[in-house]
Amino acid sequence: MSTFQQPDPQDRPARLTVGVVGAGRVGPALAASLQLAGHRPVAVSGVSDASRRRAAQLLPDVPVVPPAEVMERADLVLLTVPDDTLPGLVEGLAETGAVRPGQLLVHTSGRYGTKVLDPALRVGALPLALHPAMTFTGTPVDVQRLAGCSFGVTAPEELRLAAEALVIEMGGEPEWIAEEMRPLYHAALALGANHLVTLVAQSMELLRASGVDAPDRMLGPLLGAALDNALRSGDAALTGPVARGDAGTVAAHVEQLRKHAPQAVAGYLAMARATADRALAHGLLKPEFAEDLLGVLADGTDRTPGDGTDGTEGDAR
């Protein structure tokens, strides 16, 4: 029987020194993942106490230094700062001479491609846009979640192989996004992930208000099944009173929301209209039920719809 063992990452020679500018939730996790692949984190910058704690937890013994010193020490620099901060940061680093020719400069913004790195490109940097399509907690669990995570990748053709290699080393799957499509790509992810958190949080608040002691336990199986069905079947997975055309039920929902959670009414109506449009387009919402439903959604009142749409039938999904 073979006695060969996979070498420990600590025993492999480091191929790149890695620096992180912006120790938010993303940068330390990516650097820790690259460390597992044999690279060597050497410096991280962070201002807040929370940033310093994250760096200490995910990158122990890696010094926290100013951004210019991170740039000086690292072959590969992760720029993991908020989207609106990124252009100014890149310009400042380039203008002050912090960027070295041949240095790999990687940002993780979903909104931008590599054009935002042009000031650094002009002084010889190698630009990559690697956006992990995942939400981060700022804890070690993020490193594990990178396994199988898709990355939205934009890079010059000559750096395509380098971009793919870095993503694969972090356990991810590269998805190529054209420069001009980055904002649309990012909007799609925000629509799905960020708004999902808002919807789930609102749903849990309403369940608590209705007397449910453990809304998370109630919602977990329901939302897990809905997500799985949606990923498998798309619009065919639509269920519930809007897709069925139960205008009376929807009107009752709006009435109760106005009474108990008026701040949720606008969101409910907006999502219900979008759901009705998709259900109509895919033949799930019958046209004979659509008129009363769309009337309720148009004016948001608790008016009683016509016969046959009083919402007394059907499931509660």
Side-chain angles (χ1 to χ4, degrees), residues 167-180:
V167 170
I168 291 169
E169 285 182 330
M170 288 185 283
E173 296 285 342
E175 288 284 349
W176 287 92
I177 310 295
E179 178 81 29
E180 67 274 13

Side-chain angles (χ1 to χ4, degrees), residues 26-250:
V26 179
L30 297 189
S33 183
L34 288 169
Q35 185 174 36
L36 292 175
H39 301 288
R40 183 165 60 94
V42 293
V44 58
S45 72
V47 177
S48 70
D49 291 341
S51 294
R52 291 173 177 269
R53 284 195 298 270
R54 276 191 291 267
Q57 184 179 28
L58 288 162
L59 301 171
D61 302 322
V62 175
V64 178
V65 299
E69 195 168 339
V70 174
M71 300 294 295
E72 182 180 344
R73 296 187 184 194
D75 302 317
L76 183 158
V77 179
L78 300 170
L79 302 180
T80 52
V81 298
D83 290 357
D84 289 351
T85 303
L86 182 61
L89 172 65
V90 175
E91 289 178 5
L93 292 173
E95 289 173 359
T96 58
V99 180
R100 303 197 314 271
Q103 190 171 45
L104 279 165
L105 212 55
V106 178
H107 79 71
T108 59
S109 166
R111 171 185 172 186
Y112 293 109
T114 56
K115 191 172 180 60
V116 72
L117 298 175
D118 277 356
L121 173 65
R122 288 193 287 269
V123 294
L126 306 177
L128 300 176
L130 308 180
H131 175 251
M134 187 180 82
T135 58
F136 287 78
T137 64
T139 66
V141 71
D142 295 333
V143 180
Q144 302 168 19
R145 287 178 175 173
L146 285 171
C149 168
S150 292
F151 280 66
V153 178
T154 304
E157 185 62 34
E158 61 271 21
L159 294 177
R160 187 180 180 105
L161 290 179
E164 287 182 339
L166 287 172
V167 170
I168 291 169
E169 285 182 330
M170 288 185 283
E173 296 285 342
E175 288 284 349
W176 287 92
I177 310 295
E179 178 81 29
E180 67 274 13
M181 301 307 294
R182 292 288 291 206
L184 179 62
Y185 151 81
H186 195 224
L189 295 179
L191 184 67
N194 302 155
H195 296 175
L196 176 63
V197 173
T198 301
L199 290 172
V200 173
Q202 282 190 336
S203 182
M204 288 199 294
E205 288 175 355
L206 295 173
L207 285 172
R208 288 191 191 97
S210 70
V212 174
D213 290 330
D216 54 340
R217 188 168 65 235
M218 177 175 284
L219 283 175
L222 174 64
L223 298 186
L227 177 60
D228 184 63
N229 291 342
L231 292 175
R232 291 173 183 271
S233 305
D235 288 297
L238 281 172
T239 64
V242 173
R244 291 192 302 269
D246 289 344
T249 297
V250 173

Side-chain angles (χ1 to χ4, degrees), residues 293-313:
L293 174 67
L294 294 176
V296 169
L297 298 178
D299 56 31
T301 68
D302 59 355
R303 68 184 183 90
T304 303
D307 291 341
T309 58
D310 60 1
T312 56
E313 282 189 63

